[in-house]
Amino acid sequence: MMTGATLPSLSLGPVLYLWEGPKWRDFYFRIADEAPVAHVVIGETVCSKRLHFIEPHVGEVVERLERAGKSVSLASLALVTLEREAQVVRALVRDSTHPIEANDLSALGLLAGKPHSVGPLINVYNGATARLLASRGATSICLPPELPMASVRDIVRDAPGVSFEIFAFGRVPLAISARCAHARSKGLVKDNCQFICGDDPDGLVVETLDRQPFLALNGVQTVSHTCQALIQELPELAAAGISRIRLSPQDCDMVAVARVFDDAIAGRSLPADAIARLQNAYAGARFSNGFHYGQQGAAWIADHAST
């Protein structure tokens, strides 16, 4: 059991990948019914062309999640390059009856003065930035996943009154581009991509010249090949004042993943047992925690010391 600190709650970030509408809907229905998460962020953050896959199901997903007692936020796009996309973000901010999670600066501008949250795709690297965002209406900030623990502590300490969240599980979002490398890798272009990224519901692995897995493509987004898994680090995150532990959906048993983290937070399982359970829930995944220790992100540090 974590002592000397308020136990953080679990949250679930938006699905970053292209899943067919019924699969996306059923995923959240199961999260609503079975997963021990308190807060869920839904919406398309990566590519506006994917919106029509999920739009018919958003209402029923929100209703199912809220009926299960979970709070819900709606995520904005992470990269706005077209007027059509700007209209999508403006409409989201104008019409939503739910809190918005901003994932780029254009959404932050529209949300100024309104309560909102800040997603992990916005760079918050120091306490001054966190305080500025809070002064403009941000009530919760999910810190970028590449931050080391020393920086996390400093930011939380320097921005009292702000609720902070940590990206603790999932392939780490690293970059996003106006061009689609995923489509190009399969001989297509962005304007006629044929939604080829849907063939890779967990991302398309990129290898180095000597055939070593390196990154993964997700449409216009690049994510890590490894899956960040901050499970043994939960006590120090709680002690630092982190309020929420974010899980990012992967194409695996996310209910099982949520139960592992819930048990670890509550002290019902030891780190070694929790890691073994995560490996069963996300078979074949290579876990990493290097960013947390200020090392290469793909590293896994098993015998960790206090940082």
Side-chain angles (χ1 to χ4, degrees):
M1 173 72 72
M2 299 178 195
T3 58
T6 302
L7 296 184
S9 61
L10 281 179
S11 70
L12 186 73
V15 173
L16 299 179
Y17 309 97
L18 175 55
W19 293 354
E20 290 289 341
K23 175 179 177 176
W24 185 88
R25 175 201 61 205
D26 292 347
F27 168 78
Y28 282 111
F29 279 7
R30 186 170 180 235
I31 291 296
D33 296 344
E34 302 179 38
V37 298
H39 181 72
V40 180
V41 184
I42 68 170
E44 179 57 50
T45 66
V46 175
C47 179
S48 63
K49 292 179 67 176
R50 300 174 176 178
L51 280 166
H52 73 275
F53 286 93
I54 68 172
E55 282 178 335
H57 308 290
V58 169
E60 57 185 335
V61 162
V62 170
E63 181 183 2
R64 184 76 160 258
L65 289 167
E66 291 184 330
R67 198 188 318 146
K70 305 180 192 309
S71 61
V72 177
S73 294
L74 303 182
S76 75
L77 289 166
L79 182 64
V80 177
T81 61
L82 304 171
E83 175 57 28
R84 169 177 56 81
E85 294 168 337
Q87 291 175 2
V88 167
V89 177
R90 286 194 290 265
L92 178 68
V93 173
R94 182 186 66 241
D95 300 335
S96 176
T97 58
H98 291 80
I100 304 299
E101 177 177 278
N103 282 295
D104 86 326
L105 297 184
S106 65
L108 280 179
L110 293 169
L111 288 163
K114 303 177 182 178
H116 61 274
S117 58
V118 175
L121 304 180
I122 290 179
N123 294 337
V124 180
Y125 289 155
N126 53 60
T129 300
R131 292 195 303 272
L132 174 62
L133 294 175
S135 73
R136 293 171 59 86
T139 58
S140 176
I141 299 173
C142 185
L143 293 172
E146 66 270 21
L147 282 178
M149 186 62 205
S151 296
V152 170
R153 285 197 190 99
D154 289 346
I155 294 170
V156 175
R157 181 199 63 212
D158 293 343
V162 181
S163 176
F164 286 98
E165 187 172 353
I166 285 291
F167 187 105
F169 179 87
R171 283 185 163 172
V172 178
L174 298 174
I176 194 163
S177 170
R179 298 183 178 181
C180 185
H182 203 145
R184 182 61 63 89
S185 73
K186 300 194 177 186
L188 300 168
V189 295
K190 182 179 178 181
D191 288 343
N192 187 29
C193 66
Q194 300 176 36
F195 300 104
I196 199 70
C197 55
D199 292 347
D200 303 295
D202 223 22
L204 174 65
V205 175
V206 176
E207 296 180 338
T208 62
L209 292 176
D210 56 356
R211 301 297 183 185
Q212 296 300 310
F214 176 47
L215 299 169
L217 299 178
N218 171 36
V220 296
Q221 184 182 56
T222 302
V223 297
S224 63
H225 170 255
T226 59
C227 174
Q228 180 141 290
L230 302 183
I231 193 80
Q232 60 191 8
E233 295 77 16
L234 291 173
E236 61 186 332
L237 290 169
I242 296 300
S243 301
R244 282 181 184 161
I245 302 299
R246 175 174 293 212
L247 313 177
S248 183
Q250 300 295 148
D251 195 28
C252 67
D253 189 346
M254 288 302 299
V255 169
V257 169
R259 288 172 177 168
V260 172
F261 273 85
D262 188 55
D263 286 345
I265 290 170
R268 293 188 293 266
S269 65
L270 297 174
D273 295 331
I275 293 166
R277 290 171 61 195
L278 280 182
Q279 289 171 334
N280 288 332
Y282 194 10
R286 178 184 164 195
F287 295 137
S288 60
N289 59 6
F291 281 136
H292 183 84
Y293 299 100
Q295 300 189 26
Q296 60 179 357
W300 174 254
I301 300 168
D303 186 18
H304 74 293
S306 179
T307 58

